[in-house]
Amino acid sequence: MDNISRRSLLSAGLGAGLVAALPVAAFATSTADDAGLRTDPFMLGIASGEPWPDGFVIWTRLAVDPVAEDGLGGMPSRNVAVQWEVAEDASMRTVVARGVEHARIETAHSVHVELKGLRPGREYFYRFRTGKHISPVGRTLTSPAPHETPAALAMAFASCAQYEHGYFTAYQRLAQDHPDLVLHLGDYLYEYKKDSYVIGGGNPRDHAGPETVSLAGYRQRHAQYKADADLQAAHAVAPWLVVWDDHEVDNNWADEVPENKDAGQLNDTTEHFRQRRAAAFQSYYENMPLRASTVPAGADMKIYRNLQWGQLANFHMMDTRQYRDDQLAGDGWKKNVAERLAEDRTITGAEQEKWLLDGFKNSTQRWDILGQQVFFTERDRNKAPEIDDVSMDGWDGYAASRRRITQGWVDANVRNAVVLTGDVHRNWANDVKVDYKNPASPVVGSELVCTSITSTGNGNGSTADPVMAWNPHLKFYNDNRGYVNTRITKDAMTADFRTLDYVTTPGAPVSTKASFEIRDGVPGLAAKG
């Protein structure tokens, strides 16, 4: 049918069923019971994500006291009915779908609704209600039809938001730039207790609660972050695709190996760490606009997945934590660690590597974009050619794994390969090669690395790093906080590095520090402007 208001929409997820689309201008008399809540329960905002051609996920989580120690947001010990609506307009007059879900105790009163049956390549708006309380209105989109090539996609990406290190003004500025899709590449939150990760001059804000280890602790920490108005603005402006890095669980964790393995430390056994990981994964699902297919099974949760934006872009969202071998030589930056070159070392695990290589082979899109966490391009801190000094946590510590991935997109004749990266709290723009030791090795792709939203504080504004002199494939560096805006068309992908001069006080303006262009069919970066 051409009239969307006459379709039946399938709403999947926790407690979801078949929902008829209703051409109603506004919320009817609410059938959702607010459990007698006197305080607005939408203090954690709303969000959407996982856009596909006929739908997306919409999310909220009820809380009246976000930092309640039990992690349940001050909510009553009962399920609460929540009504939701999706409309074609921001005033919510042309409603195309409506239903009721239950915010359940066992999932910290979170709500995930998976919409299907909508029109491809369209803008939609949504909101929630329980009793007399109505949430803000959020904007979201469906992706284009599989055969369509849209004129452009405005995509922003970000990472590393340490609540204690500054204010989330960068999220507010990102929202004001009005992207159509947001990728978050990890470190959405940090696990530390107050006063354990302190920047120069002191932290302007503090975490509530102890270091996150228990389910209650992770739920409390997610709620504290979600209660931030700037973060809520960024979620409300566009659908998100999210992947975790390390701090959503534990700093620099690797598969079943925690950061602290010594006796007497917080996580001294594999069993204890698996329990911690299970708690972190459960809370991560509860607090993100994710599909029901990602619901964790204990200490396992599959978040690597693929999303197409018509024939324009193919997003390969990766997980470089859950399946990796442990970092070598005690982690950190190390010199001449020969084992990092071992053919059997992996940062992805065999199954995810095969999925990615098959994805390259099957892709028909103009742009193949890897959304992943840690520095991909070789970055050697030592000038002497006979000595390498590289990070054991990034892809340099898993060199053969990187070579297989890079050679894989070359062998598959991927038209344009672009790696998106977070983690390092600095902006970088890099050319990607298969063999970095051979100066004649051709450029086969590009890497765009976003700085942090707040992590490590204000930054010094520098645009030079000495390692660039002997790593000529590293084209740009900057030490400010911010995010990256991209515009993707069939002819080019442009990247604007959007930066703020300070984050330790709120309200900083944003500006574009540098811009690059990747032209269709021409691997590598070209400075723009």
Side-chain angles (χ1 to χ4, degrees), residues 372-448:
Q372 62 93 47
Q373 295 80 7
V374 293
F375 211 90
F376 190 81
T377 311
E378 183 174 271
R379 184 172 44 141
D380 187 351
R381 296 199 307 188
N382 197 295
K383 185 176 182 179
E386 68 275 11
I387 300 174
D388 62 47
D389 182 7
V390 299
S391 169
M392 296 295 103
D393 188 57
W395 288 80
D396 278 333
Y398 306 81
S401 193
R402 174 176 60 200
R403 190 199 67 247
R404 290 191 297 270
I405 298 304
T406 311
Q407 189 65 54
W409 78 56
V410 173
D411 293 345
N413 295 314
V414 165
R415 184 164 179 158
N416 301 292
V418 181
V419 181
L420 305 182
T421 300
D423 183 61
V424 296
H425 309 162
R426 306 293 187 273
N427 287 312
W428 292 85
N430 311 318
D431 288 339
V432 176
K433 297 184 173 187
V434 175
D435 182 2
Y436 295 95
K437 300 304 183 186
N438 179 7
S441 179
V443 175
V444 299
S446 305
E447 180 182 22
L448 303 172

Side-chain angles (χ1 to χ4, degrees), residues 92-111:
M92 303 298 293
R93 294 185 178 276
T94 309
V95 174
V96 297
R98 171 179 293 138
V100 176
E101 293 289 340
H102 280 86
R104 300 183 182 277
I105 304 170
E106 59 266 29
T107 56
H109 292 97
S110 62
V111 174

Side-chain angles (χ1 to χ4, degrees), residues 191 211 246 248-253 258-259 267 273 276:
E191 75 275 29
E211 178 162 342
D246 53 337
E248 289 88 349
V249 181
D250 178 35
N251 181 54
N252 280 20
W253 65 282
E259 177 185 24
N267 304 295
F273 183 65
R276 181 181 188 178

Side-chain angles (χ1 to χ4, degrees), residues 19-85:
V19 179
L22 300 174
V24 180
F27 271 124
T29 300
S30 178
T31 59
D33 175 16
D34 67 358
L37 299 174
R38 295 183 179 181
T39 303
D40 178 12
F42 296 108
M43 295 181 70
L44 307 186
I46 57 174
S48 71
E50 305 294 307
W52 50 89
D54 69 339
F56 37 74
V57 173
I58 58 174
W59 169 96
T60 193
R61 178 185 163 198
L62 305 183
V64 296
D65 178 11
V67 295
E69 291 185 2
D70 64 0
L72 296 178
M75 292 295 293
S77 298
R78 53 166 288 188
N79 298 338
V80 179
V82 179
Q83 186 177 355
W84 56 267
E85 287 184 336

